[in-house]
Coordinates of all heavy atoms in Angstrom, one line a residue:
Y1 N 3.9 3.1 10.7 CA 2.6 2.5 10.6 C 1.5 3.6 10.9 O 1.8 4.5 11.7 CB 2.4 1.4 11.6 CG 2.8 0.1 11.0 CD1 4.1 -0.2 10.7 CD2 1.8 -0.9 10.8 CE1 4.4 -1.4 10.1 CE2 2.2 -2.1 10.2 CZ 3.5 -2.4 9.9 OH 3.8 -3.6 9.3
L2 N 0.4 3.5 10.2 CA -0.6 4.5 10.5 C -1.3 4.2 11.8 O -1.4 3.0 12.2 CB -1.7 4.3 9.4 CG -1.2 4.7 7.9 CD1 -2.3 4.3 6.9 CD2 -1.0 6.2 7.8
A3 N -1.7 5.2 12.4 CA -2.5 5.1 13.7 C -4.0 5.1 13.3 O -4.5 6.1 12.9 CB -2.2 6.2 14.6
P4 N -4.6 4.0 13.3 CA -6.1 4.0 12.9 C -6.9 4.7 13.9 O -6.7 4.7 15.1 CB -6.4 2.5 12.9 CG -5.4 1.8 13.8 CD -4.2 2.7 13.8
R5 N -8.0 5.4 13.4 CA -8.9 6.0 14.3 C -10.0 5.0 14.7 O -10.6 5.2 15.7 CB -9.7 7.1 13.5 CG -8.8 8.3 13.3 CD -9.6 9.4 12.6 NE -8.9 10.6 12.4 CZ -9.3 11.6 11.7 NH1 -10.5 11.5 11.1 NH2 -8.6 12.7 11.6
S6 N -10.2 4.0 13.9 CA -11.1 2.9 14.3 C -10.8 1.7 13.5 O -10.1 1.7 12.5 CB -12.5 3.4 14.0 OG -12.7 3.6 12.6
G7 N -11.4 0.6 13.9 CA -11.3 -0.6 13.2 C -9.9 -1.2 13.0 O -9.5 -1.5 11.9
A8 N -9.2 -1.3 14.1 CA -7.8 -1.7 14.0 C -7.6 -3.2 13.8 O -6.6 -3.7 13.5 CB -7.0 -1.3 15.2
T9 N -8.7 -3.9 14.0 CA -8.6 -5.4 14.0 C -9.3 -6.1 12.9 O -10.3 -5.5 12.3 CB -9.1 -6.0 15.3 OG1 -10.4 -5.6 15.5 CG2 -8.3 -5.5 16.5
G10 N -8.9 -7.2 12.6 CA -9.6 -8.1 11.6 C -9.8 -7.3 10.2 O -8.9 -6.6 9.8
L11 N -10.9 -7.6 9.6 CA -11.2 -7.0 8.3 C -12.1 -5.8 8.4 O -12.7 -5.4 7.4 CB -11.8 -8.0 7.4 CG -10.7 -9.0 6.8 CD1 -11.4 -10.1 6.1 CD2 -9.8 -8.3 5.8
Q12 N -12.2 -5.2 9.6 CA -13.0 -4.0 9.7 C -12.4 -2.9 9.0 O -11.2 -2.9 8.7 CB -13.1 -3.7 11.2 CG -14.0 -4.7 12.0 CD -14.0 -4.3 13.5 OE1 -13.1 -3.7 14.0 NE2 -15.0 -4.8 14.1
K13 N -13.2 -1.9 8.7 CA -12.7 -0.8 8.0 C -11.7 0.0 8.8 O -11.8 0.1 10.1 CB -13.9 0.1 7.6 CG -14.7 -0.5 6.5 CD -15.8 0.5 6.1 CE -16.8 -0.2 5.1 NZ -16.2 -0.8 4.0
L14 N -10.8 0.7 8.2 CA -9.8 1.5 8.8 C -10.0 2.9 8.3 O -10.1 3.1 7.1 CB -8.4 1.0 8.4 CG -7.2 1.5 8.9 CD1 -7.0 1.1 10.4 CD2 -6.0 0.9 8.1
V15 N -10.1 3.9 9.2 CA -10.3 5.2 8.8 C -9.1 6.1 9.2 O -8.7 6.1 10.4 CB -11.6 5.8 9.4 CG1 -11.8 7.3 8.9 CG2 -12.8 5.0 9.0
I16 N -8.5 6.8 8.3 CA -7.4 7.7 8.7 C -7.7 9.1 8.1 O -8.5 9.2 7.2 CB -6.0 7.2 8.2 CG1 -6.0 7.2 6.7 CG2 -5.7 5.8 8.8 CD1 -4.5 7.2 6.2
S17 N -6.9 10.0 8.6 CA -7.1 11.4 8.1 C -6.3 11.6 6.8 O -5.1 11.2 6.7 CB -6.5 12.4 9.1 OG -6.4 13.6 8.5
A18 N -6.9 12.2 5.8 CA -6.2 12.4 4.5 C -5.0 13.3 4.7 O -4.1 13.2 3.9 CB -7.2 13.0 3.5
A19 N -5.0 14.1 5.7 CA -3.9 15.0 6.0 C -2.7 14.3 6.4 O -1.6 14.9 6.4 CB -4.3 16.0 7.0
D20 N -2.8 13.0 6.8 CA -1.6 12.2 7.2 C -0.8 11.7 6.0 O 0.3 11.2 6.3 CB -2.1 11.0 8.0 CG -2.6 11.4 9.4 OD1 -2.4 12.6 9.8 OD2 -3.3 10.6 10.0
L21 N -1.3 11.9 4.8 CA -0.5 11.3 3.7 C -0.3 12.4 2.6 O -1.3 13.0 2.2 CB -1.4 10.1 3.2 CG -0.7 9.2 2.2 CD1 0.5 8.5 2.9 CD2 -1.6 8.1 1.7
H22 N 0.9 12.5 2.2 CA 1.2 13.5 1.1 C 1.5 12.8 -0.2 O 1.8 11.6 -0.2 CB 2.5 14.3 1.5 CG 2.3 15.0 2.8 ND1 1.5 16.1 3.0 CD2 2.8 14.8 4.1 CE1 1.5 16.5 4.2 NE2 2.3 15.7 4.9
E23 N 1.4 13.5 -1.3 CA 1.6 12.9 -2.6 C 3.0 12.3 -2.7 O 4.0 12.9 -2.3 CB 1.4 14.0 -3.7 CG -0.1 14.3 -3.9 CD -0.3 15.2 -5.1 OE1 0.6 15.4 -5.9 OE2 -1.5 15.7 -5.2
G24 N 3.0 11.1 -3.3 CA 4.3 10.4 -3.4 C 4.7 9.6 -2.2 O 5.8 9.0 -2.2
E25 N 3.9 9.6 -1.2 CA 4.2 8.9 0.0 C 3.3 7.6 0.1 O 2.2 7.5 -0.4 CB 3.9 9.7 1.3 CG 4.9 10.8 1.5 CD 4.7 11.5 2.9 OE1 3.7 11.2 3.5 OE2 5.5 12.3 3.2
A26 N 3.9 6.6 0.9 CA 3.2 5.4 1.2 C 3.3 5.1 2.7 O 4.3 5.4 3.3 CB 3.8 4.2 0.4
K27 N 2.2 4.6 3.2 CA 2.2 4.2 4.6 C 1.7 2.8 4.8 O 0.7 2.4 4.2 CB 1.3 5.2 5.4 CG 1.8 6.6 5.4 CD 1.5 7.4 6.6 CE 2.1 8.8 6.4 NZ 2.3 9.5 7.7
F28 N 2.5 2.1 5.6 CA 2.1 0.7 5.9 C 1.2 0.6 7.1 O 1.3 1.4 8.0 CB 3.4 -0.1 6.1 CG 4.2 -0.3 4.8 CD1 5.0 0.7 4.4 CD2 4.1 -1.4 4.1 CE1 5.7 0.6 3.2 CE2 4.8 -1.6 2.9 CZ 5.6 -0.6 2.4
F29 N 0.3 -0.4 7.1 CA -0.6 -0.7 8.2 C -1.0 -2.1 8.2 O -0.7 -2.9 7.3 CB -1.8 0.2 8.1 CG -2.6 0.0 6.8 CD1 -3.7 -0.8 6.8 CD2 -2.2 0.7 5.6 CE1 -4.5 -1.0 5.6 CE2 -3.0 0.5 4.4 CZ -4.1 -0.4 4.4
E30 N -1.6 -2.5 9.3 CA -2.1 -3.9 9.4 C -3.5 -4.0 8.9 O -4.3 -3.1 9.3 CB -2.1 -4.3 10.9 CG -0.7 -4.6 11.4 CD -0.1 -5.9 10.8 OE1 -0.8 -6.9 10.8 OE2 1.1 -5.8 10.4
Y31 N -3.8 -4.9 8.0 CA -5.1 -5.1 7.5 C -5.4 -6.6 7.4 O -4.7 -7.3 6.7 CB -5.2 -4.4 6.1 CG -6.6 -4.5 5.6 CD1 -7.6 -3.7 6.0 CD2 -6.9 -5.4 4.6 CE1 -8.9 -3.8 5.5 CE2 -8.2 -5.5 4.0 CZ -9.2 -4.7 4.5 OH -10.4 -4.8 4.0
G32 N -6.5 -7.0 8.1 CA -6.9 -8.4 8.1 C -5.8 -9.3 8.5 O -5.6 -10.4 8.0
G33 N -4.9 -8.8 9.5 CA -3.9 -9.7 10.0 C -2.6 -9.8 9.2 O -1.7 -10.5 9.6
S34 N -2.6 -9.0 8.2 CA -1.3 -9.0 7.4 C -0.9 -7.5 7.0 O -1.7 -6.6 7.3 CB -1.3 -9.9 6.3 OG -2.1 -9.5 5.3
S35 N 0.2 -7.4 6.4 CA 0.7 -6.1 6.1 C 0.1 -5.5 4.8 O -0.1 -6.2 3.8 CB 2.2 -6.2 5.9 OG 2.8 -4.9 5.8
A36 N -0.3 -4.3 4.9 CA -0.9 -3.6 3.7 C -0.3 -2.2 3.6 O 0.4 -1.8 4.5 CB -2.4 -3.5 3.8
V37 N -0.5 -1.5 2.5 CA 0.1 -0.2 2.3 C -0.9 0.7 1.6 O -1.7 0.3 0.7 CB 1.4 -0.3 1.6 CG1 1.2 -0.9 0.2 CG2 2.2 1.0 1.5
L38 N -0.9 2.0 2.0 CA -1.7 3.0 1.4 C -0.8 4.0 0.7 O 0.2 4.4 1.3 CB -2.5 3.7 2.4 CG -3.4 4.9 1.9 CD1 -4.5 4.4 1.0 CD2 -3.9 5.7 3.1
I39 N -1.1 4.3 -0.6 CA -0.2 5.2 -1.4 C -1.0 6.3 -1.8 O -2.2 6.2 -2.2 CB 0.3 4.5 -2.7 CG1 0.9 3.1 -2.4 CG2 1.3 5.4 -3.4 CD1 0.1 2.0 -3.0
K40 N -0.5 7.5 -1.8 CA -1.1 8.7 -2.5 C -0.1 9.0 -3.6 O 1.0 9.3 -3.4 CB -1.2 9.9 -1.6 CG -2.0 11.0 -2.2 CD -2.2 12.1 -1.2 CE -3.2 13.2 -1.8 NZ -3.4 14.3 -0.8
T41 N -0.6 8.7 -4.8 CA 0.3 8.9 -6.0 C 0.6 10.3 -6.2 O -0.1 11.2 -5.7 CB -0.4 8.3 -7.3 OG1 -1.5 9.1 -7.6 CG2 -0.9 6.8 -7.0
K42 N 1.5 10.6 -7.1 CA 1.9 11.9 -7.5 C 0.7 12.6 -8.2 O 0.7 13.9 -8.2 CB 3.1 11.9 -8.4 CG 4.4 11.4 -7.7 CD 5.4 12.5 -7.5 CE 6.6 11.9 -6.6 NZ 7.7 12.8 -6.6
G43 N -0.2 11.8 -8.7 CA -1.4 12.4 -9.3 C -2.5 12.6 -8.3 O -3.6 13.1 -8.7
G44 N -2.2 12.2 -7.1 CA -3.2 12.5 -6.0 C -4.2 11.3 -5.8 O -5.1 11.4 -5.0
E45 N -4.0 10.2 -6.5 CA -4.9 9.1 -6.3 C -4.5 8.3 -5.1 O -3.4 8.1 -4.8 CB -4.8 8.2 -7.6 CG -5.9 7.1 -7.6 CD -5.6 6.0 -8.6 OE1 -4.6 6.1 -9.4 OE2 -6.4 5.1 -8.7
M46 N -5.5 7.8 -4.3 CA -5.3 7.0 -3.2 C -5.5 5.5 -3.6 O -6.5 5.1 -4.1 CB -6.4 7.3 -2.1 CG -6.3 8.7 -1.5 SD -4.9 8.8 -0.4 CE -5.2 10.5 0.2
V47 N -4.5 4.7 -3.3 CA -4.5 3.3 -3.6 C -4.1 2.5 -2.4 O -3.1 2.8 -1.8 CB -3.5 3.0 -4.8 CG1 -3.6 1.5 -5.1 CG2 -3.8 3.8 -6.0
A48 N -4.8 1.5 -2.0 CA -4.4 0.6 -0.9 C -4.2 -0.8 -1.5 O -4.9 -1.3 -2.4 CB -5.5 0.5 0.1
L49 N -3.1 -1.4 -1.1 CA -2.7 -2.7 -1.6 C -2.2 -3.6 -0.5 O -1.7 -3.1 0.5 CB -1.4 -2.5 -2.5 CG -1.6 -1.6 -3.8 CD1 -0.2 -1.4 -4.3 CD2 -2.4 -2.3 -4.8
S50 N -2.4 -4.9 -0.7 CA -1.7 -5.8 0.2 C -0.2 -5.6 0.0 O 0.3 -5.4 -1.1 CB -2.0 -7.3 -0.2 OG -1.1 -8.2 0.3
A51 N 0.6 -5.6 1.1 CA 2.1 -5.5 1.0 C 2.8 -6.8 0.9 O 4.0 -6.9 1.0 CB 2.6 -4.7 2.1
V52 N 2.0 -7.9 0.7 CA 2.6 -9.2 0.7 C 2.9 -9.6 -0.8 O 2.0 -9.7 -1.6 CB 1.6 -10.2 1.3 CG1 2.1 -11.7 1.2 CG2 1.2 -9.9 2.7
C53 N 4.1 -9.8 -1.1 CA 4.6 -10.1 -2.4 C 3.9 -11.4 -2.9 O 3.8 -12.4 -2.1 CB 6.1 -10.3 -2.4 SG 6.8 -10.7 -4.1
T54 N 3.4 -11.4 -4.1 CA 2.7 -12.5 -4.7 C 3.7 -13.6 -5.1 O 3.2 -14.7 -5.6 CB 1.9 -12.1 -5.9 OG1 2.7 -11.5 -6.9 CG2 0.8 -11.1 -5.5
H55 N 5.0 -13.4 -5.0 CA 5.9 -14.5 -5.3 C 6.0 -15.5 -4.1 O 5.2 -16.5 -4.1 CB 7.3 -13.9 -5.7 CG 8.3 -15.0 -6.0 ND1 9.6 -14.9 -5.6 CD2 8.2 -16.1 -6.8 CE1 10.2 -16.0 -6.1 NE2 9.4 -16.7 -6.8
L56 N 6.7 -15.2 -3.1 CA 6.8 -16.1 -2.0 C 6.4 -15.4 -0.6 O 6.8 -15.9 0.4 CB 8.2 -16.7 -1.9 CG 8.6 -17.6 -3.1 CD1 10.0 -18.1 -3.0 CD2 7.6 -18.8 -3.2
G57 N 5.8 -14.3 -0.7 CA 5.2 -13.8 0.5 C 6.0 -12.8 1.4 O 5.6 -12.5 2.5
C58 N 7.1 -12.3 0.8 CA 7.9 -11.3 1.6 C 7.1 -10.0 1.6 O 6.2 -9.8 0.8 CB 9.2 -11.1 1.0 SG 10.3 -12.5 1.1
I59 N 7.4 -9.1 2.5 CA 6.7 -7.8 2.6 C 7.5 -6.8 1.7 O 8.7 -6.6 1.9 CB 6.7 -7.3 4.0 CG1 5.9 -8.4 4.9 CG2 6.0 -6.0 4.1 CD1 4.6 -8.7 4.4
V60 N 6.8 -6.2 0.8 CA 7.4 -5.2 -0.1 C 7.8 -3.9 0.6 O 7.2 -3.6 1.6 CB 6.6 -5.0 -1.4 CG1 6.3 -6.2 -2.1 CG2 5.2 -4.3 -1.0
Q61 N 8.7 -3.2 0.0 CA 9.2 -1.9 0.5 C 8.8 -0.8 -0.5 O 8.9 -1.1 -1.7 CB 10.7 -1.9 0.8 CG 11.1 -3.0 1.8 CD 12.6 -3.2 1.8 OE1 13.3 -2.8 0.9 NE2 13.1 -3.9 2.8
W62 N 8.6 0.4 0.0 CA 8.3 1.5 -0.9 C 9.6 2.2 -1.2 O 10.4 2.5 -0.3 CB 7.4 2.5 -0.1 CG 7.0 3.7 -0.8 CD1 7.3 5.0 -0.4 CD2 6.4 3.9 -2.1 NE1 6.8 5.9 -1.3 CE2 6.2 5.3 -2.3 CE3 5.9 3.0 -3.0 CZ2 5.6 5.8 -3.5 CZ3 5.3 3.5 -4.2 CH2 5.2 4.9 -4.4
V63 N 9.8 2.4 -2.5 CA 11.0 3.1 -3.0 C 10.5 4.5 -3.5 O 10.0 4.6 -4.6 CB 11.7 2.4 -4.1 CG1 13.0 3.1 -4.5 CG2 12.0 0.9 -3.7
K64 N 10.6 5.5 -2.6 CA 10.0 6.7 -2.8 C 10.6 7.4 -4.1 O 9.9 8.0 -4.9 CB 10.1 7.7 -1.6 CG 9.3 8.9 -1.7 CD 9.4 9.8 -0.5 CE 8.5 11.0 -0.7 NZ 8.7 12.0 0.3
E65 N 11.9 7.4 -4.2 CA 12.6 8.0 -5.3 C 12.0 7.5 -6.7 O 12.0 8.3 -7.7 CB 14.1 7.8 -5.3 CG 14.7 8.2 -4.0 CD 14.5 7.1 -2.9 OE1 14.7 5.9 -3.1 OE2 14.0 7.5 -1.8
Q66 N 11.7 6.2 -6.7 CA 11.3 5.7 -8.0 C 9.8 5.4 -8.0 O 9.2 5.0 -9.1 CB 12.0 4.4 -8.2 CG 13.5 4.6 -8.5 CD 14.4 3.4 -8.5 OE1 14.0 2.3 -8.9 NE2 15.6 3.6 -8.0
Q67 N 9.1 5.7 -6.9 CA 7.6 5.6 -6.9 C 7.2 4.2 -7.3 O 6.2 4.0 -8.1 CB 7.0 6.6 -7.8 CG 7.2 8.1 -7.3 CD 6.4 8.4 -6.0 OE1 5.2 8.3 -6.0 NE2 7.1 8.7 -4.9
H68 N 7.8 3.2 -6.7 CA 7.4 1.8 -6.9 C 7.7 1.0 -5.7 O 8.4 1.5 -4.7 CB 7.9 1.2 -8.2 CG 9.4 0.9 -8.2 ND1 10.2 0.9 -9.3 CD2 10.3 0.6 -7.2 CE1 11.4 0.6 -9.0 NE2 11.5 0.4 -7.7
F69 N 7.2 -0.2 -5.7 CA 7.5 -1.1 -4.5 C 8.6 -2.1 -5.0 O 8.6 -2.6 -6.1 CB 6.3 -1.9 -4.1 CG 5.2 -1.0 -3.5 CD1 4.2 -0.5 -4.3 CD2 5.3 -0.7 -2.2 CE1 3.3 0.4 -3.8 CE2 4.4 0.2 -1.6 CZ 3.4 0.7 -2.4
L70 N 9.5 -2.5 -4.0 CA 10.5 -3.4 -4.3 C 10.4 -4.5 -3.2 O 10.3 -4.3 -2.0 CB 11.9 -2.7 -4.1 CG 13.1 -3.7 -4.3 CD1 13.2 -4.2 -5.7 CD2 14.4 -2.9 -3.9
C71 N 10.4 -5.8 -3.7 CA 10.5 -6.9 -2.8 C 11.9 -7.2 -2.4 O 12.7 -7.4 -3.4 CB 9.8 -8.1 -3.4 SG 9.8 -9.5 -2.3
P72 N 12.3 -7.3 -1.2 CA 13.7 -7.5 -0.8 C 14.1 -8.9 -1.0 O 15.3 -9.1 -1.0 CB 13.7 -7.1 0.7 CG 12.3 -7.4 1.2 CD 11.4 -7.1 0.0
C73 N 13.2 -9.8 -1.2 CA 13.6 -11.2 -1.3 C 14.2 -11.6 -2.7 O 15.3 -12.2 -2.7 CB 12.5 -12.1 -1.0 SG 12.0 -12.0 0.8
H74 N 13.5 -11.3 -3.8 CA 14.1 -11.7 -5.1 C 13.9 -10.6 -6.1 O 13.9 -10.8 -7.3 CB 13.3 -12.9 -5.6 CG 13.1 -14.0 -4.5 ND1 12.0 -14.2 -3.8 CD2 14.0 -14.9 -4.0 CE1 12.2 -15.1 -2.9 NE2 13.4 -15.6 -3.0
G75 N 13.8 -9.3 -5.6 CA 13.8 -8.2 -6.5 C 12.6 -7.9 -7.3 O 12.6 -7.2 -8.3
G76 N 11.5 -8.5 -6.9 CA 10.2 -8.2 -7.6 C 9.9 -6.7 -7.4 O 10.1 -6.1 -6.4
Q77 N 9.3 -6.1 -8.5 CA 8.9 -4.7 -8.4 C 7.5 -4.5 -8.9 O 7.0 -5.2 -9.8 CB 9.8 -3.9 -9.4 CG 11.2 -3.7 -8.9 CD 12.1 -3.0 -10.0 OE1 11.6 -2.2 -10.8 NE2 13.4 -3.2 -9.9
F78 N 6.8 -3.6 -8.2 CA 5.4 -3.4 -8.4 C 5.1 -1.9 -8.6 O 5.7 -1.1 -7.8 CB 4.5 -3.9 -7.2 CG 4.7 -5.4 -7.0 CD1 5.6 -5.9 -6.1 CD2 3.8 -6.3 -7.6 CE1 5.7 -7.2 -5.8 CE2 3.9 -7.7 -7.3 CZ 4.9 -8.1 -6.4
A79 N 4.2 -1.6 -9.5 CA 3.8 -0.2 -9.6 C 2.8 0.2 -8.5 O 2.3 -0.6 -7.7 CB 3.1 0.0 -11.0
T80 N 2.5 1.5 -8.5 CA 1.5 2.0 -7.4 C 0.1 1.4 -7.6 O -0.6 1.5 -6.6 CB 1.5 3.5 -7.4 OG1 1.2 4.0 -8.8 CG2 2.8 4.1 -7.0
D81 N -0.2 0.9 -8.7 CA -1.5 0.2 -8.8 C -1.4 -1.3 -8.6 O -2.4 -2.0 -8.8 CB -2.2 0.5 -10.2 CG -1.4 -0.1 -11.4 OD1 -0.3 -0.7 -11.1 OD2 -1.8 0.0 -12.5
G82 N -0.2 -1.7 -8.2 CA 0.0 -3.1 -7.8 C 0.5 -4.0 -9.0 O 0.9 -5.2 -8.7
T83 N 0.5 -3.5 -10.2 CA 0.9 -4.3 -11.3 C 2.4 -4.7 -11.2 O 3.2 -3.9 -10.7 CB 0.7 -3.7 -12.7 OG1 1.3 -2.4 -12.7 CG2 -0.8 -3.5 -12.9
V84 N 2.8 -5.8 -11.7 CA 4.2 -6.3 -11.7 C 5.0 -5.5 -12.7 O 4.6 -5.5 -13.9 CB 4.3 -7.8 -12.0 CG1 5.7 -8.3 -11.9 CG2 3.4 -8.6 -10.9
L85 N 6.1 -4.9 -12.3 CA 7.0 -4.2 -13.2 C 8.2 -5.1 -13.6 O 8.8 -4.9 -14.7 CB 7.5 -2.9 -12.6 CG 6.5 -1.9 -12.2 CD1 7.1 -0.7 -11.5 CD2 5.8 -1.4 -13.5
A86 N 8.7 -5.9 -12.7 CA 9.9 -6.7 -12.9 C 10.0 -7.8 -11.9 O 9.3 -7.8 -10.9 CB 11.1 -5.8 -12.8
G87 N 10.8 -8.8 -12.2 CA 11.1 -9.9 -11.3 C 10.1 -11.0 -11.4 O 9.2 -11.1 -12.3
P88 N 10.2 -12.0 -10.4 CA 9.4 -13.2 -10.5 C 8.0 -13.2 -10.0 O 7.3 -14.2 -10.2 CB 10.2 -14.1 -9.6 CG 10.9 -13.3 -8.6 CD 11.2 -12.0 -9.3
P89 N 7.4 -12.1 -9.4 CA 6.0 -12.2 -8.9 C 5.1 -12.6 -10.1 O 5.1 -11.9 -11.1 CB 5.8 -10.8 -8.4 CG 7.1 -10.3 -7.9 CD 8.0 -10.9 -9.0
P90 N 4.2 -13.6 -9.9 CA 3.3 -14.0 -10.9 C 2.1 -13.2 -11.1 O 1.4 -13.3 -12.2 CB 2.9 -15.4 -10.5 CG 3.0 -15.3 -9.0 CD 4.1 -14.4 -8.7
K91 N 1.7 -12.3 -10.2 CA 0.5 -11.5 -10.3 C 0.6 -10.3 -9.5 O 1.5 -10.2 -8.6 CB -0.7 -12.3 -10.0 CG -0.7 -13.0 -8.6 CD -2.0 -13.8 -8.4 CE -1.9 -14.4 -7.0 NZ -3.2 -14.7 -6.4
P92 N -0.3 -9.3 -9.7 CA -0.2 -8.0 -9.1 C -0.5 -8.2 -7.5 O -1.0 -9.2 -7.1 CB -1.4 -7.2 -9.7 CG -1.7 -7.9 -10.9 CD -1.4 -9.4 -10.7
L93 N 0.0 -7.1 -6.8 CA -0.4 -7.0 -5.4 C -1.9 -6.9 -5.3 O -2.5 -6.1 -6.2 CB 0.3 -5.8 -4.8 CG 1.8 -5.8 -4.7 CD1 2.3 -4.5 -4.1 CD2 2.3 -7.0 -3.8
A94 N -2.6 -7.5 -4.4 CA -4.0 -7.4 -4.2 C -4.4 -6.0 -3.8 O -3.8 -5.4 -2.9 CB -4.5 -8.4 -3.2
R95 N -5.5 -5.5 -4.5 CA -6.0 -4.2 -4.2 C -7.0 -4.3 -3.1 O -7.7 -5.2 -3.0 CB -6.6 -3.5 -5.4 CG -5.5 -3.0 -6.3 CD -6.0 -2.2 -7.5 NE -6.3 -0.8 -7.1 CZ -6.1 0.2 -7.9 NH1 -5.5 0.1 -9.0 NH2 -6.5 1.4 -7.5
I96 N -7.0 -3.2 -2.2 CA -8.0 -3.1 -1.1 C -8.8 -1.8 -1.4 O -8.2 -0.8 -1.8 CB -7.2 -3.0 0.2 CG1 -6.3 -4.2 0.5 CG2 -8.2 -2.7 1.4 CD1 -5.3 -4.0 1.6
P97 N -10.1 -1.9 -1.3 CA -10.9 -0.7 -1.6 C -10.6 0.5 -0.8 O -10.3 0.3 0.4 CB -12.4 -1.2 -1.4 CG -12.3 -2.7 -1.3 CD -10.9 -3.1 -0.9
V98 N -10.6 1.6 -1.4 CA -10.4 2.9 -0.7 C -11.5 3.9 -1.0 O -11.8 4.0 -2.2 CB -9.0 3.5 -1.1 CG1 -8.8 4.8 -0.4 CG2 -7.9 2.6 -0.8
T99 N -12.0 4.5 0.0 CA -13.0 5.6 -0.2 C -12.5 6.8 0.4 O -12.1 6.8 1.6 CB -14.4 5.2 0.4 OG1 -14.7 3.8 0.0 CG2 -15.5 6.1 -0.1
V100 N -12.5 7.9 -0.3 CA -12.1 9.2 0.3 C -13.4 10.1 0.5 O -14.1 10.3 -0.5 CB -11.1 9.9 -0.5 CG1 -10.7 11.2 0.1 CG2 -9.9 9.0 -0.8
T101 N -13.7 10.4 1.7 CA -14.9 11.2 2.0 C -14.5 12.4 2.9 O -14.0 12.2 4.0 CB -15.9 10.4 2.8 OG1 -16.1 9.1 2.1 CG2 -17.3 11.1 2.8
G102 N -14.6 13.6 2.3 CA -14.1 14.8 3.1 C -12.7 14.6 3.4 O -11.8 14.3 2.5
G103 N -12.3 14.7 4.7 CA -10.9 14.6 5.1 C -10.5 13.2 5.5 O -9.4 13.0 6.0
N104 N -11.4 12.2 5.3 CA -11.1 10.9 5.8 C -10.9 9.9 4.7 O -11.6 10.0 3.6 CB -12.3 10.3 6.6 CG -12.3 11.0 8.0 OD1 -11.3 11.4 8.5 ND2 -13.5 11.1 8.6
I105 N -10.0 9.0 4.9 CA -9.7 7.9 4.0 C -10.2 6.6 4.6 O -9.7 6.3 5.7 CB -8.2 7.7 3.7 CG1 -7.7 9.1 3.1 CG2 -8.0 6.6 2.6 CD1 -6.1 9.1 3.2
T106 N -11.2 5.9 4.0 CA -11.6 4.7 4.6 C -11.1 3.5 3.7 O -11.2 3.5 2.5 CB -13.2 4.6 4.6 OG1 -13.7 5.7 5.3 CG2 -13.7 3.3 5.2
I107 N -10.4 2.6 4.4 CA -9.8 1.5 3.7 C -10.6 0.2 4.1 O -10.8 -0.1 5.3 CB -8.3 1.3 4.2 CG1 -7.6 2.7 3.9 CG2 -7.6 0.2 3.5 CD1 -6.3 2.8 4.6
G108 N -10.9 -0.6 3.1 CA -11.6 -1.9 3.3 C -13.1 -1.8 3.0 O -13.6 -0.8 2.7
Ligands
LIG201 FE1 8.9 -11.2 -3.5 FE2 10.2 -13.4 -4.3 S1 9.0 -13.1 -2.5 S2 10.1 -11.5 -5.3

């Protein structure tokens, strides 16, 4: 889990250091009382998503080798932008706004 610099509770903004995340990595954190994840894609884009599967609500896992998310419950797969790649999930993972300013990543 990421260690927030501020705004650890509720739907307040979360600010972390961009240096904490490398390309191809994902980090999970608490956002608005549920699980969320921040990804830095291999192309360098920062994306934050709800980590709650849109099928029946299990928490997705990051599969670094394949650069996608896998839901352990029924095999749903999601791309780094949240879109459904395979399995039963009916819709994409919800996106959370991300702003990168200097060395800081602001989520929410
Ligand atoms: Fe995720 Fe069913 S809860 S695939």
Side-chain angles (χ1 to χ4, degrees):
Y1 271 67
L2 295 170
R5 286 181 178 172
S6 64
T9 57
L11 281 169
Q12 290 177 334
K13 291 186 187 305
L14 185 69
V15 181
I16 66 156
S17 167
D20 289 346
L21 194 62
H22 301 290
E23 287 189 9
E25 284 187 355
K27 299 214 179 202
F28 289 81
F29 59 97
E30 285 291 309
Y31 181 76
S34 70
S35 188
V37 62
L38 176 69
I39 311 113
K40 188 173 188 181
T41 69
K42 295 245 173 169
E45 188 191 1
M46 296 286 188
V47 183
L49 300 167
S50 165
V52 179
C53 181
T54 57
H55 181 221
L56 294 176
C58 293
I59 303 303
V60 300
Q61 299 166 347
W62 176 238
V63 184
K64 190 177 179 190
E65 307 74 54
Q66 293 168 32
Q67 295 288 301
H68 70 210
F69 292 95
L70 175 65
C71 179
C73 291
H74 315 99
Q77 291 176 22
F78 299 90
T80 52
D81 65 355
T83 56
V84 180
L85 297 174
K91 54 183 185 158
L93 296 174
R95 286 188 76 142
I96 300 167
V98 177
T99 313
V100 182
T101 313
N104 287 331
I105 306 164
T106 304
I107 302 161

